[in-house]
Amino acid sequence: MRNSSFFKIYAAFSVVYLIILLTGHERFDLFLKPILIPIIGFGAYFYRNFPTQNILLAALVLSWLGDVILLFTDLGEIYFILGLVCFLSAHIIYCILFNKQKRIRKKQNKPIFIFGSILIAVYLIGMVSVLMPHLGDLEIPVSIYASVISIMLLFAFNGFLVWEKPGNQLVFLGAIFFIISDSILAVNKFYAPIPKSSFFIMLTYLLAQYLIVVGILKLNPKKEQQTV
């Protein structure tokens, strides 16, 4: 992949960061976490021009803002809400991004799409039902967020059925990891503490962003961009 150095640096920094989290040195969050998404963002920026590049970059910028803001949640609930808004916006932009990717099939396999949609709806209802008694004033914001990220997963699943391989698989797997990351975060914050939660949240989150970015780049190869 062109300019793959950024992705190698992202992987290396991610491994170092995850080891630090696993060993319990979460205070280094302030120094390492804010640089991870910009690294992969540079990889996407210098890859080459393609029609939805700016949409991808916008989603990464909003994700980065969410990362930075969530570092300060200990100072007040407002930082959690602001971080939630940033990631909510990022997921909406990911939905737009997924919707604009080139299809190799005009229609998806409807029975499989319906089955997948039901599974996603079951996840959404189940997660909200479990968390609802513990959310307090955050019932509406968290419910909206859970709905939007579920829709993002649905868009990725639809893409899995109509996009070219391997980009379709990478993006869909990335969306699943995003769901897992946010689910761990929500359960840990509102329901019950999860051992090494920061490690698992960031492991799945960093995988999610990497897979989505690489998947989108795979869906926009050079041969399709020669006239851009």
Side-chain angles (χ1 to χ4, degrees):
M1 181 182 292
R2 185 181 177 189
N3 296 311
S4 60
S5 296
F6 286 106
F7 298 93
K8 293 175 182 177
I9 294 170
Y10 175 82
F13 272 80
S14 294
V15 169
V16 171
Y17 178 53
L18 290 170
I19 291 173
I20 288 172
L21 290 181
L22 193 59
T23 55
H25 297 87
E26 296 181 12
R27 63 183 180 276
F28 289 101
D29 257 5
L30 192 63
F31 305 101
L32 286 176
K33 189 176 181 182
I35 69 173
L36 294 172
I37 296 303
I39 293 172
I40 201 169
F42 282 123
Y45 178 76
F46 289 111
Y47 171 69
R48 64 175 55 89
N49 291 330
F50 57 93
T52 55
Q53 183 181 42
N54 289 336
I55 301 175
L56 172 60
L57 293 174
L60 291 174
V61 168
L62 285 165
S63 297
W64 175 76
L65 287 173
D67 284 340
V68 173
I69 292 171
L70 288 178
L71 289 172
F72 302 98
T73 50
D74 291 342
L75 301 180
E77 197 71 26
I78 185 62
Y79 291 98
F80 177 77
I81 295 173
L82 290 174
L84 201 69
V85 170
C86 287
F87 276 109
L88 177 71
S89 303
H91 289 311
I92 291 173
I93 292 179
Y94 272 133
C95 289
I96 297 170
L97 176 69
F98 298 162
N99 189 54
K100 288 183 175 291
Q101 298 308 303
K102 181 180 178 181
R103 301 179 174 209
I104 60 170
R105 288 177 289 276
K106 292 184 178 180
K107 293 183 180 180
Q108 75 280 80
N109 185 313
K110 281 202 170 180
I112 294 179
F113 180 74
I114 291 171
F115 179 71
S117 300
I118 291 172
L119 290 180
I120 293 171
V122 168
Y123 155 79
L124 173 61
I125 294 170
M127 180 60 67
V128 172
S129 298
V130 168
L131 296 179
M132 192 62 72
H134 310 278
L135 295 177
D137 295 336
L138 294 177
E139 283 185 7
I140 294 177
V142 172
S143 298
I144 292 173
Y145 183 87
S147 299
V148 170
I149 194 172
S150 297
I151 293 170
M152 184 274 292
L153 179 60
L154 186 62
F155 271 87
F157 178 60
N158 179 66
F160 175 75
L161 299 176
V162 300
W163 297 335
E164 189 174 5
K165 295 180 180 179
N168 66 333
Q169 299 166 337
L170 294 172
V171 172
F172 180 49
L173 187 58
I176 291 175
F177 275 121
F178 231 132
I179 287 278
I180 294 172
S181 179
D182 282 345
S183 297
I184 296 172
L185 188 153
V187 170
N188 181 71
K189 181 174 179 62
F190 298 112
Y191 187 74
I194 297 176
K196 301 293 182 181
S197 60
S198 295
F199 170 79
F200 291 111
I201 290 167
M202 291 307 300
L203 171 64
T204 48
Y205 170 71
L206 293 172
L207 279 171
Q209 295 284 26
Y210 176 83
L211 290 169
I212 289 174
V213 170
V214 173
I216 293 296
L217 299 186
K218 293 286 187 183
L219 291 171
N220 293 272
K222 183 177 182 180
K223 63 182 179 181
E224 297 179 328
Q225 305 303 323
Q226 290 174 338
T227 60
V228 175

